[in-house]
Amino acid sequence: MTDTQRETARDDRWYLPKYDTVEEERQHRKQRLAASFRLFGKFGFEEGVAGHITARDPEQLDHFWVNPFGMSFSHISVSDLVLVNSRGEVVEGEGGVNTAAFAIHSALHEARPDIIAAAHSHSLYGKAWSSLGRLLDPLTQDACAFYEDHAVFDDYTGVVLDVEEGKRIAHALADAKAVILRNHGLLTVGQTVDEAVWWFITMERTCQVQLMAQAAGTPELIDEEQATITAKQVGHPLAGWLSFQPLYDRIVKEQPDLLD
Ligand SMILES: [Zn+2]
């Protein structure tokens, strides 16, 4: 990266909080991550022990923070999060890590140095839509966040337990913000935890809307030109980050113990 590119990247992310120390940045990321699990729990994205959201450590860039295996999303606090290294070992915090979480997320974090976070769960509408093995259409303004910015991983071979499959998912995702894992569910990424989690929430709802609209009739699509313009507006990392802020405030107010 040249100095000019570095400056441009900084300018593009003017809205992000500034930190004096790496510890502050880590704490901020962990707070956003714990809040995200509470939101996933609140929205009913849980299916048994499936699902994981990860946040890259700001110092050890090949390590990530994740939910401890088997703990309800609705009970997760900052102090429950575990730090996993590049070999899948828990190096901080108590509890294990879901094998699938490591297999998928370690490959994603390695393939996409630009992303800080990745979110995946077996949410109902995402799972239903994933069985169709096709991309979402630009049916609504919100759906345009994914216009030409998501992919389908069209290769279901059972529970992901192998890093090699994680690599193939990362390959399918390429430089997009989301990938539909066929017969499985949704996966989203972002430059912040806030953004990755917002994309997940709005993608789940986008799947619900398309399923409902198609069940009711033949929806009108937003044309290519308008979808492209709208994608730049609602699909920008800033838009994703911004949309998460009221949700964060709401869940912290409702469940302040998540910060413990
Ligand atoms: Zn899964």
Side-chain angles (χ1 to χ4, degrees), residues 186-226:
L186 308 178
L187 193 157
T188 58
V189 299
Q191 295 172 2
T192 53
V193 173
D194 311 48
E195 189 199 332
V197 170
W198 173 255
W199 297 142
F200 192 94
I201 293 167
T202 193
M203 193 179 200
E204 163 71 5
R205 291 174 178 169
T206 298
C207 292
Q208 183 177 4
V209 167
Q210 183 151 358
L211 289 164
M212 286 168 67
Q214 288 184 340
T218 307
E220 293 279 347
L221 266 64
I222 297 173
D223 69 45
E224 207 177 309
E225 191 186 344
Q226 293 308 320

Short mmCIF file of all heavy atoms in Angstrom, two decimals, residues 186-226:
data_model
loop_
_atom_site.label_atom_id
_atom_site.label_comp_id
_atom_site.label_asym_id
_atom_site.label_seq_id
_atom_site.Cartn_x
_atom_site.Cartn_y
_atom_site.Cartn_z
N LEU A 186 -26.48 -17.93 5.47
CA LEU A 186 -25.81 -16.71 4.98
C LEU A 186 -24.49 -16.47 5.70
O LEU A 186 -24.32 -16.90 6.85
CB LEU A 186 -26.72 -15.49 5.22
CG LEU A 186 -28.15 -15.59 4.70
CD1 LEU A 186 -28.94 -14.33 5.06
CD2 LEU A 186 -28.17 -15.83 3.18
N LEU A 187 -23.60 -15.76 5.03
CA LEU A 187 -22.34 -15.36 5.64
C LEU A 187 -22.00 -13.97 5.12
O LEU A 187 -22.07 -13.73 3.91
CB LEU A 187 -21.25 -16.37 5.26
CG LEU A 187 -19.94 -16.30 6.03
CD1 LEU A 187 -19.23 -17.64 5.94
CD2 LEU A 187 -19.00 -15.23 5.53
N THR A 188 -21.69 -13.06 6.04
CA THR A 188 -21.38 -11.69 5.64
C THR A 188 -20.07 -11.24 6.27
O THR A 188 -19.66 -11.78 7.30
CB THR A 188 -22.49 -10.70 6.07
OG1 THR A 188 -22.63 -10.78 7.50
CG2 THR A 188 -23.83 -11.02 5.42
N VAL A 189 -19.43 -10.25 5.65
CA VAL A 189 -18.16 -9.73 6.18
C VAL A 189 -18.20 -8.20 6.17
O VAL A 189 -19.04 -7.60 5.50
CB VAL A 189 -16.94 -10.23 5.35
CG1 VAL A 189 -16.84 -11.74 5.38
CG2 VAL A 189 -17.00 -9.73 3.90
N GLY A 190 -17.27 -7.59 6.93
CA GLY A 190 -17.21 -6.13 6.94
C GLY A 190 -15.90 -5.61 7.48
O GLY A 190 -15.13 -6.34 8.11
N GLN A 191 -15.68 -4.33 7.24
CA GLN A 191 -14.47 -3.65 7.73
C GLN A 191 -14.58 -3.36 9.22
O GLN A 191 -13.61 -2.92 9.84
CB GLN A 191 -14.28 -2.33 6.98
CG GLN A 191 -14.00 -2.52 5.50
CD GLN A 191 -13.99 -1.19 4.74
OE1 GLN A 191 -14.15 -0.13 5.33
NE2 GLN A 191 -13.79 -1.27 3.45
N THR A 192 -15.78 -3.52 9.78
CA THR A 192 -16.01 -3.38 11.21
C THR A 192 -16.99 -4.50 11.61
O THR A 192 -17.68 -5.06 10.75
CB THR A 192 -16.69 -2.04 11.55
OG1 THR A 192 -17.87 -1.91 10.75
CG2 THR A 192 -15.78 -0.86 11.29
N VAL A 193 -17.04 -4.79 12.91
CA VAL A 193 -18.04 -5.74 13.41
C VAL A 193 -19.42 -5.19 13.07
O VAL A 193 -20.31 -5.91 12.58
CB VAL A 193 -17.90 -5.94 14.93
CG1 VAL A 193 -19.03 -6.78 15.48
CG2 VAL A 193 -16.54 -6.55 15.28
N ASP A 194 -19.58 -3.90 13.30
CA ASP A 194 -20.86 -3.22 13.07
C ASP A 194 -21.38 -3.51 11.67
O ASP A 194 -22.55 -3.87 11.46
CB ASP A 194 -20.70 -1.71 13.22
CG ASP A 194 -19.98 -1.31 14.50
OD1 ASP A 194 -18.92 -1.90 14.79
OD2 ASP A 194 -20.45 -0.40 15.19
N GLU A 195 -20.49 -3.32 10.70
CA GLU A 195 -20.88 -3.46 9.30
C GLU A 195 -21.23 -4.92 8.95
O GLU A 195 -22.28 -5.17 8.37
CB GLU A 195 -19.71 -2.96 8.43
CG GLU A 195 -20.04 -2.85 6.96
CD GLU A 195 -18.78 -2.81 6.10
OE1 GLU A 195 -17.70 -2.37 6.56
OE2 GLU A 195 -18.89 -3.25 4.95
N ALA A 196 -20.35 -5.85 9.34
CA ALA A 196 -20.59 -7.27 9.02
C ALA A 196 -21.93 -7.73 9.58
O ALA A 196 -22.69 -8.45 8.93
CB ALA A 196 -19.46 -8.13 9.57
N VAL A 197 -22.22 -7.29 10.81
CA VAL A 197 -23.44 -7.73 11.49
C VAL A 197 -24.67 -7.06 10.88
O VAL A 197 -25.71 -7.71 10.69
CB VAL A 197 -23.32 -7.50 13.01
CG1 VAL A 197 -24.64 -7.71 13.72
CG2 VAL A 197 -22.26 -8.45 13.57
N TRP A 198 -24.55 -5.80 10.53
CA TRP A 198 -25.68 -5.16 9.85
C TRP A 198 -25.98 -5.84 8.52
O TRP A 198 -27.13 -6.10 8.18
CB TRP A 198 -25.45 -3.65 9.62
CG TRP A 198 -26.57 -3.13 8.78
CD1 TRP A 198 -26.51 -2.79 7.46
CD2 TRP A 198 -27.95 -3.00 9.15
NE1 TRP A 198 -27.75 -2.45 7.00
CE2 TRP A 198 -28.65 -2.57 8.02
CE3 TRP A 198 -28.64 -3.21 10.35
CZ2 TRP A 198 -30.03 -2.33 8.04
CZ3 TRP A 198 -30.03 -2.99 10.37
CH2 TRP A 198 -30.69 -2.55 9.22
N TRP A 199 -24.93 -6.16 7.76
CA TRP A 199 -25.18 -6.84 6.47
C TRP A 199 -25.92 -8.16 6.71
O TRP A 199 -26.79 -8.53 5.95
CB TRP A 199 -23.89 -7.09 5.69
CG TRP A 199 -23.13 -5.88 5.24
CD1 TRP A 199 -21.76 -5.76 5.22
CD2 TRP A 199 -23.63 -4.63 4.73
NE1 TRP A 199 -21.40 -4.52 4.76
CE2 TRP A 199 -22.52 -3.81 4.44
CE3 TRP A 199 -24.91 -4.12 4.51
CZ2 TRP A 199 -22.65 -2.51 3.93
CZ3 TRP A 199 -25.04 -2.82 4.01
CH2 TRP A 199 -23.94 -2.04 3.72
N PHE A 200 -25.55 -8.85 7.79
CA PHE A 200 -26.23 -10.12 8.06
C PHE A 200 -27.71 -9.89 8.34
O PHE A 200 -28.59 -10.56 7.79
CB PHE A 200 -25.58 -10.88 9.23
CG PHE A 200 -26.09 -12.28 9.31
CD1 PHE A 200 -25.40 -13.33 8.71
CD2 PHE A 200 -27.31 -12.57 9.94
CE1 PHE A 200 -25.91 -14.62 8.72
CE2 PHE A 200 -27.82 -13.85 9.95
CZ PHE A 200 -27.12 -14.89 9.35
N ILE A 201 -27.98 -8.92 9.23
CA ILE A 201 -29.37 -8.66 9.63
C ILE A 201 -30.21 -8.25 8.42
O ILE A 201 -31.31 -8.77 8.19
CB ILE A 201 -29.42 -7.58 10.74
CG1 ILE A 201 -28.78 -8.12 12.03
CG2 ILE A 201 -30.85 -7.11 10.99
CD1 ILE A 201 -28.48 -7.06 13.08
N THR A 202 -29.68 -7.33 7.63
CA THR A 202 -30.48 -6.85 6.50
C THR A 202 -30.55 -7.90 5.37
O THR A 202 -31.54 -7.97 4.64
CB THR A 202 -29.96 -5.47 6.00
OG1 THR A 202 -30.93 -4.91 5.11
CG2 THR A 202 -28.64 -5.55 5.30
N MET A 203 -29.56 -8.76 5.26
CA MET A 203 -29.61 -9.81 4.24
C MET A 203 -30.65 -10.86 4.61
O MET A 203 -31.39 -11.35 3.74
CB MET A 203 -28.23 -10.47 4.09
CG MET A 203 -28.13 -11.33 2.84
SD MET A 203 -26.49 -12.05 2.67
CE MET A 203 -26.50 -12.45 0.93
N GLU A 204 -30.72 -11.19 5.89
CA GLU A 204 -31.74 -12.13 6.36
C GLU A 204 -33.14 -11.59 6.03
O GLU A 204 -34.00 -12.30 5.53
CB GLU A 204 -31.57 -12.33 7.87
CG GLU A 204 -32.74 -12.95 8.63
CD GLU A 204 -32.97 -14.43 8.33
OE1 GLU A 204 -32.16 -15.05 7.59
OE2 GLU A 204 -33.98 -14.97 8.83
N ARG A 205 -33.33 -10.29 6.27
CA ARG A 205 -34.64 -9.68 5.99
C ARG A 205 -34.88 -9.60 4.48
O ARG A 205 -36.04 -9.71 4.03
CB ARG A 205 -34.70 -8.28 6.61
CG ARG A 205 -34.73 -8.34 8.14
CD ARG A 205 -34.64 -6.94 8.71
NE ARG A 205 -34.72 -6.94 10.16
CZ ARG A 205 -34.45 -5.88 10.91
NH1 ARG A 205 -34.08 -4.74 10.35
NH2 ARG A 205 -34.55 -5.96 12.21
N THR A 206 -33.82 -9.40 3.73
CA THR A 206 -33.94 -9.35 2.27
C THR A 206 -34.40 -10.71 1.73
O THR A 206 -35.23 -10.78 0.82
CB THR A 206 -32.59 -8.92 1.65
OG1 THR A 206 -32.30 -7.60 2.13
CG2 THR A 206 -32.64 -8.88 0.15
N CYS A 207 -33.87 -11.77 2.31
CA CYS A 207 -34.30 -13.12 1.93
C CYS A 207 -35.78 -13.30 2.26
O CYS A 207 -36.56 -13.84 1.46
CB CYS A 207 -33.49 -14.18 2.67
SG CYS A 207 -31.76 -14.25 2.18
N GLN A 208 -36.17 -12.83 3.43
CA GLN A 208 -37.58 -12.94 3.85
C GLN A 208 -38.48 -12.18 2.87
O GLN A 208 -39.52 -12.70 2.44
CB GLN A 208 -37.74 -12.38 5.26
CG GLN A 208 -39.15 -12.51 5.80
CD GLN A 208 -39.29 -12.01 7.25
OE1 GLN A 208 -38.34 -11.48 7.82
NE2 GLN A 208 -40.46 -12.19 7.80
N VAL A 209 -38.07 -10.98 2.51
CA VAL A 209 -38.88 -10.15 1.60
C VAL A 209 -39.01 -10.84 0.24
O VAL A 209 -40.11 -10.91 -0.33
CB VAL A 209 -38.25 -8.74 1.44
CG1 VAL A 209 -38.87 -7.99 0.27
CG2 VAL A 209 -38.42 -7.95 2.73
N GLN A 210 -37.90 -11.37 -0.29
CA GLN A 210 -38.00 -11.99 -1.62
C GLN A 210 -38.87 -13.25 -1.58
O GLN A 210 -39.66 -13.50 -2.50
CB GLN A 210 -36.60 -12.28 -2.20
CG GLN A 210 -36.71 -12.85 -3.62
CD GLN A 210 -35.55 -12.55 -4.53
OE1 GLN A 210 -34.59 -11.85 -4.17
NE2 GLN A 210 -35.61 -13.07 -5.75
N LEU A 211 -38.74 -14.03 -0.51
CA LEU A 211 -39.57 -15.23 -0.38
C LEU A 211 -41.06 -14.84 -0.30
O LEU A 211 -41.91 -15.46 -0.96
CB LEU A 211 -39.17 -16.03 0.87
CG LEU A 211 -37.81 -16.74 0.78
CD1 LEU A 211 -37.34 -17.15 2.16
CD2 LEU A 211 -37.89 -17.95 -0.15
N MET A 212 -41.36 -13.80 0.48
CA MET A 212 -42.75 -13.35 0.62
C MET A 212 -43.28 -12.79 -0.69
O MET A 212 -44.40 -13.10 -1.12
CB MET A 212 -42.85 -12.26 1.71
CG MET A 212 -42.71 -12.79 3.12
SD MET A 212 -42.48 -11.45 4.31
CE MET A 212 -44.05 -10.65 4.21
N ALA A 213 -42.47 -11.95 -1.33
CA ALA A 213 -42.93 -11.29 -2.56
C ALA A 213 -43.19 -12.32 -3.66
O ALA A 213 -44.19 -12.25 -4.38
CB ALA A 213 -41.89 -10.26 -3.00
N GLN A 214 -42.28 -13.30 -3.76
CA GLN A 214 -42.45 -14.30 -4.82
C GLN A 214 -43.60 -15.26 -4.52
O GLN A 214 -44.24 -15.78 -5.43
CB GLN A 214 -41.15 -15.08 -5.02
CG GLN A 214 -40.10 -14.21 -5.70
CD GLN A 214 -38.81 -14.94 -6.02
OE1 GLN A 214 -38.51 -15.98 -5.43
NE2 GLN A 214 -38.04 -14.37 -6.92
N ALA A 215 -43.86 -15.47 -3.23
CA ALA A 215 -45.00 -16.33 -2.87
C ALA A 215 -46.32 -15.63 -3.21
O ALA A 215 -47.32 -16.28 -3.52
CB ALA A 215 -44.94 -16.67 -1.38
N ALA A 216 -46.29 -14.29 -3.18
CA ALA A 216 -47.52 -13.52 -3.40
C ALA A 216 -47.76 -13.20 -4.87
O ALA A 216 -48.89 -12.94 -5.27
CB ALA A 216 -47.46 -12.22 -2.60
N GLY A 217 -46.71 -13.19 -5.67
CA GLY A 217 -46.89 -12.81 -7.08
C GLY A 217 -45.57 -12.73 -7.80
O GLY A 217 -44.62 -13.42 -7.46
N THR A 218 -45.52 -11.84 -8.81
CA THR A 218 -44.30 -11.67 -9.58
C THR A 218 -43.75 -10.27 -9.31
O THR A 218 -44.26 -9.29 -9.84
CB THR A 218 -44.57 -11.83 -11.10
OG1 THR A 218 -45.25 -13.08 -11.28
CG2 THR A 218 -43.30 -11.82 -11.90
N PRO A 219 -42.72 -10.16 -8.46
CA PRO A 219 -42.23 -8.83 -8.08
C PRO A 219 -41.60 -8.08 -9.27
O PRO A 219 -41.02 -8.70 -10.16
CB PRO A 219 -41.18 -9.12 -7.01
CG PRO A 219 -41.18 -10.57 -6.77
CD PRO A 219 -41.98 -11.25 -7.80
N GLU A 220 -41.70 -6.76 -9.22
CA GLU A 220 -41.03 -5.88 -10.18
C GLU A 220 -39.60 -5.68 -9.69
O GLU A 220 -39.38 -5.33 -8.52
CB GLU A 220 -41.71 -4.51 -10.21
CG GLU A 220 -43.12 -4.50 -10.74
CD GLU A 220 -43.15 -4.50 -12.26
OE1 GLU A 220 -42.09 -4.25 -12.88
OE2 GLU A 220 -44.23 -4.76 -12.82
N LEU A 221 -38.65 -5.84 -10.58
CA LEU A 221 -37.25 -5.62 -10.20
C LEU A 221 -36.85 -4.15 -10.41
O LEU A 221 -37.37 -3.49 -11.32
CB LEU A 221 -36.33 -6.49 -11.07
CG LEU A 221 -35.92 -7.84 -10.50
CD1 LEU A 221 -37.13 -8.75 -10.32
CD2 LEU A 221 -34.89 -8.51 -11.40
N ILE A 222 -35.96 -3.65 -9.57
CA ILE A 222 -35.35 -2.34 -9.80
C ILE A 222 -34.40 -2.51 -10.99
O ILE A 222 -33.67 -3.50 -11.07
CB ILE A 222 -34.58 -1.88 -8.54
CG1 ILE A 222 -35.56 -1.70 -7.37
CG2 ILE A 222 -33.80 -0.60 -8.80
CD1 ILE A 222 -34.93 -1.41 -6.03
N ASP A 223 -34.45 -1.56 -11.96
CA ASP A 223 -33.63 -1.77 -13.16
C ASP A 223 -32.14 -1.64 -12.84
O ASP A 223 -31.75 -1.11 -11.79
CB ASP A 223 -34.08 -0.86 -14.31
CG ASP A 223 -33.77 0.60 -14.05
OD1 ASP A 223 -32.65 0.92 -13.61
OD2 ASP A 223 -34.67 1.44 -14.30
N GLU A 224 -31.33 -2.12 -13.78
CA GLU A 224 -29.89 -2.24 -13.58
C GLU A 224 -29.23 -0.90 -13.19
O GLU A 224 -28.43 -0.85 -12.26
CB GLU A 224 -29.29 -2.74 -14.90
CG GLU A 224 -28.02 -3.50 -14.73
CD GLU A 224 -27.52 -4.02 -16.09
OE1 GLU A 224 -28.31 -4.65 -16.81
OE2 GLU A 224 -26.35 -3.76 -16.39
N GLU A 225 -29.61 0.15 -13.90
CA GLU A 225 -28.99 1.45 -13.67
C GLU A 225 -29.32 1.96 -12.25
O GLU A 225 -28.43 2.39 -11.50
CB GLU A 225 -29.50 2.46 -14.71
CG GLU A 225 -28.72 3.75 -14.69
CD GLU A 225 -29.32 4.80 -15.63
OE1 GLU A 225 -30.15 4.43 -16.49
OE2 GLU A 225 -28.99 5.98 -15.45
N GLN A 226 -30.59 1.89 -11.89
CA GLN A 226 -31.00 2.37 -10.57
C GLN A 226 -30.44 1.48 -9.46
O GLN A 226 -30.06 1.97 -8.38
CB GLN A 226 -32.54 2.45 -10.46
CG GLN A 226 -33.17 3.49 -11.35
CD GLN A 226 -32.54 4.88 -11.18
OE1 GLN A 226 -32.22 5.29 -10.07
NE2 GLN A 226 -32.32 5.57 -12.28
#
